[in-house]
Amino acid sequence: MPTSEYQGSSVPLSFLGRSILSFRRNQIISMEGTQEQELEELELFQKHVADRFTGLLSSRPSSDGIDNILSIAWLRKLLDTFLCCEAEFKAVLIHGHNPQIAKPPLNRLISEFLDRDVKALDICNAISNGVESIRQWQKSAEIAIFALGQKPLGEGQVRRAKKALNSLVASITSEDKESNGNTSTERAWSFGRRSGALIKERSSGHLRSLSPSVSRNWSASKQIQAMSGNLVAPRGGGESSGLASPVYVMSNVLVFVLWALVAAIPCQERGSLATHLPVPRQLAWAGPVIGLQERIAEEWKKKEKKGSAGLLEEIQRLERCGQSLIELADSFQFPPEAKWVAEMEVQVAELSENCRKIEEGLVPLQRQVREVFHRITKSRTEVLDILDQAGKPSTPVL
Amino acid sequence: MEKNPPEKSPSFACPDDKKKQDADRSPSPDFIAIDAKSEGDHEAEDREEDREKVDEASSDLDSSLAKVSEEIDRFLSTLFTVEEKSNPPEIPNHVDQFCMLVEAMIAKYDSGEVPSKWCQVSEEDASLIEAVDRISKLTNALGEFPSESNYVSSHNRTSTVLHRAMLLLEEEFRALLEDSRSGDSDPGDLRMKQPSFSSNHEHDRCVLPEPDSARAVNFPAYSPEVVSNLNLIATAMISASYDKECYQVYSIARRNAFEESLNKLGFEKVSIDDVQKMQWDSLEGEIATWIKVFKRCVTINFSGELKLCEAVFSDHPSISDVLFIEITSGVVLQLLNLADAVAMTKRSAEKLFKILDMYETLHDLIQVIDSFFSDECANKLKSETSTARCRLGVAAVSIFCDLENSIKSDTGKTPVPGGAVHPLTRYIMNYLKYTCEYKDTLEQIFQEHQKMEQSDGPDAETETTPCPYNNNQTPKPSPFSVQLVTVMDLLDLNLEVKSKLYKDLSLSYIFLMNNGRYIMQKIKGSAEIHELMGNTWSRKRSSDLRQYHKNYQRETWSKVLGCLRDEGLQVNGKVSKPVLKERFKSFNAMFDEIHKTQSSWVVSDEQLQSELRVSISAVVIPAYRSFLGRFRQYLDSGRQSEKYIKYQPDDIETSVDELFDGNAMSMARRRT
């Protein structure tokens, strides 16, 4: 099957997946029916989830910004983490050939899980679309960088840069407005002196660059809520609940990862999501997940007040640099003073650096989102096949 | 040189004018209100000034432009030959004059005074483009002397005019792309695009009245004049290094237009989640539209879009490739989404055919991807397309293999009255007949599926599709035909079990004959199934059927024929009348009974029915006739004879012709 195998990951996933699988298989052969062994494995899965998320949480702001939470690089790690957890989860769930999974109450949990998978796929698509928006913004920023890099710098180039930046900032802001559920036709144009330029852009259809990837009334926040709404921790914790526990853990991982993506990347209708997802604190793996959630939610609240867009670090920086360059452009006088030029060059350098990060990170991120999509689809099919098998008449009629 | 020359507005003079236009174009009062509020008084004044300039300048615009242009060209060629960058010639006044002339031209456009806007290549447009090209060259040339303050200052002036010109061109470019399509709708689609032309854009000239025949295939539906103007503007923008703006506008406008054209065909984005919840009949509708849309893309839209890209960016083939990919690849991915979503829906038998249709559509797409997309992108799209296609294939295999289960689970204990064709037989055979219309596709799918399972390495044992082929016989029958044979064998097995539900052995043979005949007829009626099942199988089936027939004959008629035997009639060398009488009596009783029961049995296949009757007659009538001929004489004529000889041979034939009529009334006459 020609799957679009994802290759750019920092972890050799296919290798990891395979090794987990074969490990598991050997174990079944040698330890068939050993319940203790199984329990141990479930615990191991939870421990791995906890370890991986602790790793994500410990990404501290650094000077080069490589590891900053909600940066493109961090999101790529997050998706890697998801793919690892997913591979291990599948190994636990499928390769155990556990007949339990077709029987109540596990079959209900599994079918809820599969339903979450479907919703996750739509979110992946919406995120892919959001990544396209970022690419458009990058292009606008690059126009500004190009224009301000011209020598000698004249008023024409400054205006050109300002036009591109206005369109960039307005697009980020309007994306935010729209994605936060403000779908009414009258728009709140509160951009002060920039409004003139904005109307031009808006009326000429420049900003509404991409139509939504999913159906018109689809809402990322509703989907996330639907995914998390019926998440109930299995009674008795991890010990006695058997496979119910990893299903629960993996559901939480799925919901959290998608929630973080929706928080970071512009995405259709994503308002009112800054709330916490219900994760019981007492579980070992839940600690780091809750920690991450709190930090992202905090960011979200901060940005909500400022009324700005996607929490992705690079987007925020695009907006910030754009904004301050617009202000700088407003103070342009020909011939420019050395101080003005120096200031401009510093800001352009920051914007360029940010664009470089986007340029480098966006394609692999996009590929990874697709990989997540394909992986979820594949696992879902496999689980369904197993359920199907279990439900079929096992003996011929004769 | 002066700083900030007065005829130039401090910021966005040009967009202000455009803004006004755009606001006018838009019916929304919001825009106008904000527009008025946002514009500072000084900007309005600037506009006034611009207007005055226009009036002043336009009078001698045409005459002076040619002269000034000549001067500029001369100056440019001088600048190109300057060796020493530190000692350039004096900047002539013509530079400033030229700037003013170009500004005047732009202002004229902005004010909407230019009569024909870009619909046809007018002289005016051509001279604007020419002037823009000249000012771009001038700007570049002046920029070569950054140490000369008057050059820098002049450069500032020309670059500002250039920017203003570029804004104008960008707007015109966008407007042309967005508004001047002459309705790329289906001929049957009456909802023509509502033209959104503004009063000052006389685009309606662009809409060429087209003969109906030419409207059939019309994408992206720009008139040749519009395309050549798009090309003019793009070339001018690119050569002035405003390429990024140009690409951005083009890409966005075309992407939206491309999507819009699909929406007009009825395509709507549906979330995967919604597809799972959709009723099958509405999903079927979506799929039908999807197939239509995809075919349209493959046959018309892709090539139209590619041609447009190539025409507009004729001097920049690599860019036209990139833009084409930007515009279309997202659409392809979006379309693939429905394939994924459908492959994910709960599997059920009725979905097979639509899934196969989708599979074939994607197959066609893969065939043409290379002709539209360049390597890297083609590979990505191909891989996405084949992944989606593969998922449809897996769904198709699983649905088809699930026939096994629907056969196995059909374990009803009630026999079909009269031994008629079982509904399961009808269902399976008709299903197979339709399925085999997709024979080639299914062969391919099963082949791929088999390869996939074999190559799946450690995962292989988790692939649980219950298709029991993996035997290494040579030559191998195709995996699909193996599966088909499996289904047929299971059906046979199931029918055999069902035949045992009949207490009357004869009836169970009739049942087997009926169903067997039905199966054979269906297979004969479909060249595809016949080919897949092979001659050997058919021959085996035919001989089975003959055997059932023989068994029936034996079961029903051997006892009857036993009454007509010579043996045992003679006692001490003489025909025994009581035995003879007994023979006649039991023959009559048996025959009556058979007639009564078996005329209620059903053989709806006329040929089989007649074969059965003929074969019965052929056995029974001669035997009866000869028995009668030989032994009638032993019975006294008259009353006794009538009592025992109830039937004349002709009566037997008539009665036999009433068998298997499905008629519950035993003695009712045969339908005519």
Side-chain angles (χ1 to χ4, degrees):
Chain A
M1 179 177 197
T3 45
S4 4
E5 198 66 41
Y6 164 66
Q7 282 143 4
S9 163
S10 53
V11 181
L13 289 166
S14 53
F15 165 73
L16 184 69
R18 288 263 189 265
S19 64
I20 290 170
L21 303 189
S22 44
F23 162 69
R24 172 78 209 184
R25 182 165 301 108
N26 295 338
Q27 213 170 33
I28 285 161
I29 293 161
S30 56
M31 306 267 186
E32 208 164 7
T34 315
Q35 277 218 330
E36 269 174 38
Q37 190 68 33
E38 248 174 42
L39 272 181
E40 205 170 284
E41 223 164 75
L42 298 184
E43 270 169 37
L44 211 58
F45 170 63
Q46 299 197 27
K47 186 180 174 304
H48 288 160
V49 171
D51 290 349
R52 292 188 185 116
F53 277 89
T54 309
L56 282 172
L57 183 60
S58 62
S59 297
R60 290 284 165 206
S62 54
S63 52
D64 58 358
I66 291 286
D67 270 358
N68 284 0
I69 195 166
L70 292 171
S71 64
I72 292 178
W74 185 83
L75 283 184
R76 292 186 54 202
K77 277 191 192 166
L78 178 72
L79 293 181
D80 270 351
T81 301
F82 173 81
L83 290 169
C84 290
C85 294
E86 209 277 338
E88 194 172 348
F89 170 70
K90 205 169 81 179
V92 170
L93 188 69
I94 293 179
H95 297 273
H97 282 290
N98 197 323
Q100 269 185 54
I101 74 165
K103 291 179 194 140
L106 204 57
N107 62 349
R108 186 181 52 84
L109 295 178
I110 300 261
S111 98
E112 283 172 6
F113 182 79
L114 296 178
D115 190 47
R116 271 176 219 123
D117 272 352
V118 171
K119 294 183 164 64
L121 295 179
D122 283 324
I123 294 178
C124 285
N125 281 336
I127 292 295
S128 290
N129 211 47
V131 171
E132 277 307 310
S133 300
I134 301 175
R135 210 188 298 284
Q136 290 302 318
W137 298 337
Q138 180 199 346
K139 283 180 185 165
S140 292
E142 278 167 354
I143 291 173
I145 293 166
F146 176 81
L148 293 173
Q150 297 293 298
K151 281 185 180 120
L153 186 66
E155 181 146 3
Q157 295 301 332
V158 175
R159 287 188 193 179
R160 183 183 178 186
K162 199 173 122 178
K163 173 176 173 285
L165 293 169
N166 271 332
S167 123
L168 163 73
V169 172
S171 178
I172 292 179
T173 323
S174 78
E175 180 82 53
D176 190 48
K177 288 258 179 307
E178 271 154 37
S179 59
N180 273 320
N182 182 1
T183 47
S184 65
T185 44
E186 49 171 325
R187 297 182 190 282
W189 291 106
S190 53
F191 302 100
R193 65 203 145 65
R194 294 205 314 280
S195 58
L198 282 178
I199 284 160
K200 177 185 144 49
E201 302 297 343
R202 162 62 62 176
S203 59
S204 53
H206 194 169
L207 295 183
R208 280 304 303 141
S209 58
L210 299 160
S211 54
S213 63
V214 205
S215 58
R216 223 175 311 125
N217 47 7
W218 186 86
S219 148
S221 57
K222 270 191 207 135
Q223 295 303 90
I224 295 266
Q225 274 153 9
M227 286 169 80
S228 59
N230 53 0
L231 261 180
V232 183
R235 263 170 289 166
E239 290 288 314
S240 59
S241 52
L243 285 174
S245 157
V247 170
Y248 176 70
V249 175
M250 195 57 212
S251 295
N252 272 293
V253 169
L254 180 71
V255 172
F256 170 74
V257 168
L258 291 167
W259 176 80
L261 280 177
V262 168
I265 290 175
C267 180
Q268 193 177 335
E269 234 281 311
R270 62 199 194 95
S272 66
L273 265 184
T275 47
H276 289 201
L277 304 166
V279 181
R281 282 179 179 275
Q282 67 274 18
L283 301 173
W285 54 269
V289 173
I290 291 170
L292 285 169
Q293 251 185 45
E294 280 170 352
R295 279 179 59 184
I296 293 170
E298 206 177 292
E299 282 286 296
W300 202 321
K301 275 181 199 138
K302 253 196 313 204
K303 300 303 171 238
E304 250 178 9
K305 268 183 214 149
K306 271 174 55 192
S308 76
L311 297 183
L312 188 74
E313 187 179 69
E314 285 81 358
I315 296 178
Q316 293 195 49
R317 192 170 299 162
L318 272 184
E319 195 187 0
R320 208 172 51 233
C321 291
Q323 193 73 310
S324 84
L325 270 172
I326 290 169
E327 277 158 28
L328 194 65
D330 282 338
S331 69
F332 178 77
Q333 289 273 322
F334 184 83
E337 290 163 23
K339 201 181 141 211
W340 188 94
V341 171
E343 173 64 24
M344 183 272 289
E345 277 170 353
V346 169
Q347 291 193 22
V348 168
E350 192 188 348
L351 188 60
S352 307
E353 170 61 13
N354 195 39
C355 281
R356 188 189 59 78
K357 269 191 200 157
I358 293 174
E359 172 74 37
E360 283 171 2
L362 224 46
V363 171
L365 179 69
Q366 184 72 296
R367 217 185 301 134
Q368 240 171 329
V369 173
R370 273 317 272 175
E371 166 72 4
V372 168
F373 180 97
H374 288 306
R375 186 74 81 73
I376 290 175
T377 313
K378 189 158 185 269
S379 300
R380 188 175 176 277
T381 312
E382 289 176 15
V383 173
L384 274 178
D385 277 346
I386 290 185
L387 289 179
D388 234 27
Q389 275 307 88
K392 272 171 191 167
S394 46
T395 46
V397 266
L398 267 189
Chain B
M1 284 297 283
E2 59 199 341
K3 284 181 188 176
N4 290 332
E7 67 274 308
K8 196 176 55 172
S9 61
S11 69
F12 289 87
C14 174
D16 281 344
D17 276 323
K18 289 301 296 174
K19 231 182 293 166
K20 190 77 171 70
Q21 280 177 21
D22 289 330
D24 288 344
R25 268 158 69 179
S26 157
S28 158
D30 295 6
F31 287 122
I32 295 166
I34 295 168
D35 193 37
K37 200 174 71 187
S38 71
E39 275 176 13
D41 286 344
H42 68 284
E43 288 187 35
E45 277 165 28
D46 284 340
R47 252 206 340 263
E48 275 308 303
E49 270 176 55
D50 278 346
R51 288 275 145 71
E52 281 162 28
K53 279 275 163 211
V54 173
D55 295 340
E56 199 181 297
S58 57
S59 53
D60 53 356
L61 190 71
D62 303 329
S63 56
S64 56
L65 183 66
K67 209 183 93 218
V68 175
S69 297
E70 233 170 83
E71 294 295 332
I72 294 292
D73 287 348
R74 198 167 302 139
F75 176 55
L76 277 174
S77 58
T78 325
L79 284 183
F80 286 135
T81 55
V82 170
E83 305 251 324
E84 248 181 293
K85 297 280 178 196
S86 55
N87 191 20
E90 188 94 347
I91 298 174
N93 286 337
H94 291 122
V95 169
D96 200 45
Q97 245 179 310
F98 184 61
C99 284
M100 279 161 65
L101 284 171
V102 176
E103 279 179 327
M105 286 172 96
I106 295 168
K108 209 170 158 193
Y109 271 91
D110 282 348
S111 64
E113 273 177 41
V114 180
S116 152
K117 298 205 79 179
W118 303 104
C119 292
Q120 286 136 18
V121 186
S122 69
E123 271 177 44
E124 204 122 16
D125 298 337
S127 69
L128 178 73
I129 291 285
E130 204 183 303
V132 166
D133 189 49
R134 193 165 280 120
I135 202 131
S136 157
K137 285 197 183 107
L138 186 59
T139 307
N140 286 340
L142 292 168
E144 291 295 309
F145 303 91
S147 51
E148 300 295 308
S149 71
N150 55 340
Y151 269 73
V152 171
S153 187
S154 248
H155 171 267
N156 185 43
R157 173 92 170 92
T158 58
S159 77
T160 310
V161 176
L162 178 65
H163 179 66
R164 206 172 147 180
M166 285 298 139
L167 286 179
L168 172 70
L169 290 187
E170 188 185 322
E171 261 329 292
E172 294 300 331
F173 195 59
R174 190 200 320 281
L176 274 178
L177 283 168
E178 284 175 356
D179 300 339
S180 60
R181 277 174 294 138
S182 47
D184 46 4
S185 50
D186 269 342
D189 189 351
L190 295 174
R191 295 175 300 120
M192 292 288 277
K193 190 185 174 218
Q194 197 64 38
S196 57
F197 307 134
S198 60
S199 52
N200 55 351
H201 278 227
E202 297 180 19
H203 279 307
D204 29 0
R205 291 183 179 216
C206 304
V207 187
L208 301 172
E210 283 177 81
D212 280 354
S213 58
R215 273 179 47 196
V217 174
N218 191 8
F219 184 85
Y222 296 106
S223 67
E225 289 81 6
V226 170
V227 172
S228 97
N229 266 317
L230 287 169
N231 174 262
L232 266 183
I233 298 177
T235 311
M237 288 184 79
I238 293 169
S239 70
S241 299
Y242 275 65
D243 47 347
K244 288 190 166 75
E245 280 94 337
C246 181
Y247 304 151
Q248 205 175 26
V249 168
Y250 185 84
S251 165
I252 290 168
R254 282 310 306 163
R255 215 183 309 182
N256 288 336
F258 197 97
E259 263 191 37
E260 197 186 300
S261 77
L262 302 189
N263 292 343
K264 271 190 201 151
L265 291 172
F267 179 69
E268 271 179 52
K269 290 168 195 160
V270 199
S271 72
I272 297 176
D273 197 24
D274 285 345
V275 169
Q276 310 306 308
K277 292 170 188 155
M278 223 179 251
Q279 293 291 316
W280 174 240
D281 48 349
S282 33
L283 186 52
E284 250 183 324
E286 297 280 335
I287 294 173
T289 311
W290 180 91
I291 290 171
K292 191 171 77 179
V293 166
F294 236 125
K295 294 215 160 119
R296 169 74 175 263
C297 281
V298 167
T299 53
I300 298 168
N301 286 22
F302 285 159
S303 60
E305 196 66 51
L306 188 59
K307 271 187 206 131
L308 181 68
C309 278
E310 284 167 353
V312 173
F313 300 97
S314 54
D315 299 334
H316 306 84
S318 59
I319 274 303
S320 74
D321 268 4
V322 170
L323 287 171
F324 173 72
I325 287 165
E326 259 183 44
I327 291 160
T328 51
S329 66
V331 171
V332 174
L333 290 181
Q334 229 150 48
L335 283 168
L336 291 181
N337 213 32
L338 188 75
D340 280 334
V342 169
M344 233 174 259
T345 54
K346 203 166 170 359
R347 281 154 197 185
S348 70
E350 79 266 26
K351 292 180 183 171
L352 181 64
F353 310 111
K354 279 282 178 263
I355 286 180
L356 291 172
D357 286 339
M358 291 181 98
Y359 183 95
E360 287 175 353
T361 307
L362 292 188
H363 184 77
D364 294 347
L365 173 67
I366 290 173
Q367 305 301 309
V368 299
I369 278 181
D370 279 327
S371 58
F372 292 119
F373 299 95
S374 54
D375 298 345
E376 198 191 338
C377 179
N379 286 341
K380 185 186 155 210
L381 285 184
K382 247 195 212 163
S383 128
E384 289 282 352
T385 310
S386 20
T387 306
R389 191 187 59 155
C390 228
R391 286 187 187 132
L392 290 171
V394 169
V397 167
S398 140
I399 290 173
F400 189 72
C401 291
D402 203 47
L403 269 190
E404 287 183 31
N405 294 305
S406 33
I407 296 172
K408 279 183 201 160
S409 58
D410 192 306
T411 54
K413 295 286 180 226
T414 323
V416 180
V421 177
H422 197 276
L424 179 70
T425 313
R426 280 182 206 281
Y427 171 74
I428 296 288
M429 289 316 294
N430 284 315
Y431 193 80
L432 290 180
K433 188 170 159 271
Y434 280 120
T435 308
C436 286
E437 283 171 16
Y438 294 88
K439 173 177 161 278
D440 294 342
T441 302
L442 278 162
E443 292 263 33
Q444 191 192 346
I445 292 175
F446 271 81
Q447 210 93 47
E448 279 170 9
H449 192 72
Q450 193 181 38
K451 259 187 243 152
M452 208 167 82
E453 293 208 326
Q454 284 165 354
S455 69
D456 224 9
D459 276 346
E461 65 178 56
T462 68
E463 297 285 345
T464 49
T465 319
C467 307
Y469 47 76
N470 265 334
N471 41 359
N472 290 321
Q473 304 156 343
T474 44
K476 261 193 203 164
S478 77
F480 175 59
S481 70
V482 170
Q483 181 58 29
L484 193 63
V485 170
T486 307
V487 170
M488 295 300 296
D489 288 349
L490 267 175
L491 181 62
D492 278 348
L493 207 61
N494 185 290
L495 290 173
E496 223 177 297
V497 175
K498 284 191 174 20
S499 75
K500 304 217 160 75
L501 295 172
Y502 295 99
K503 289 195 185 83
D504 188 334
L505 207 50
S506 295
L507 183 53
S508 72
Y509 289 126
I510 291 292
F511 173 79
L512 287 172
M513 258 188 280
N514 265 328
N515 285 276
R517 167 70 72 150
Y518 186 84
I519 291 170
M520 283 300 285
Q521 290 304 98
K522 283 289 167 185
I523 286 177
K524 274 187 197 147
S526 152
E528 289 87 3
I529 308 187
H530 190 78
E531 194 186 317
L532 284 163
M533 298 304 293
N535 281 327
T536 322
W537 188 88
S538 294
R539 272 197 296 274
K540 165 88 171 54
R541 290 305 312 224
S542 299
S543 85
D544 283 352
L545 280 181
R546 278 195 299 277
Q547 193 56 48
Y548 296 147
H549 195 147
K550 276 182 201 151
N551 293 351
Y552 160 78
Q553 292 269 36
R554 193 188 60 230
E555 201 55 49
T556 296
W557 297 101
S558 60
K559 265 191 234 151
V560 178
L561 291 174
C563 300
L564 305 178
R565 270 183 309 171
D566 288 359
E567 291 84 33
L569 266 179
Q570 306 214 352
V571 178
N572 302 327
K574 280 181 74 188
V575 171
S576 157
K577 270 193 190 179
V579 175
L580 185 63
K581 283 178 184 168
E582 200 45 48
R583 287 287 189 88
F584 271 112
K585 256 164 83 184
S586 51
F587 173 83
N588 291 341
M590 273 188 225
F591 189 78
D592 280 350
E593 179 57 29
I594 289 171
H595 180 260
K596 193 177 144 207
T597 25
Q598 302 203 0
S599 62
S600 76
W601 292 0
V602 181
V603 176
S604 42
D605 182 88
E606 275 185 28
Q607 202 195 330
L608 178 63
Q609 195 184 48
S610 119
E611 275 170 24
L612 274 166
R613 286 170 182 166
V614 167
S615 75
I616 294 166
S617 298
V619 174
V620 177
I621 292 172
Y624 187 64
R625 200 190 294 278
S626 108
F627 189 77
L628 211 57
R630 274 178 292 147
F631 299 107
R632 161 185 270 160
Q633 50 185 317
Y634 297 101
L635 298 175
D636 301 330
S637 54
R639 204 179 56 83
Q640 207 186 25
S641 166
E642 269 172 35
K643 186 179 170 193
Y644 294 105
I645 306 172
K646 202 172 160 187
Y647 296 110
Q648 292 304 313
D650 288 353
D651 297 332
I652 298 283
E653 187 162 8
T654 311
S655 292
V656 167
D657 278 349
E658 284 168 353
L659 299 180
F660 317 119
D661 224 6
N663 199 335
M665 299 281 288
S666 57
M667 286 302 163
R669 300 298 302 173
R670 198 184 162 204
R671 280 174 286 142
T672 45

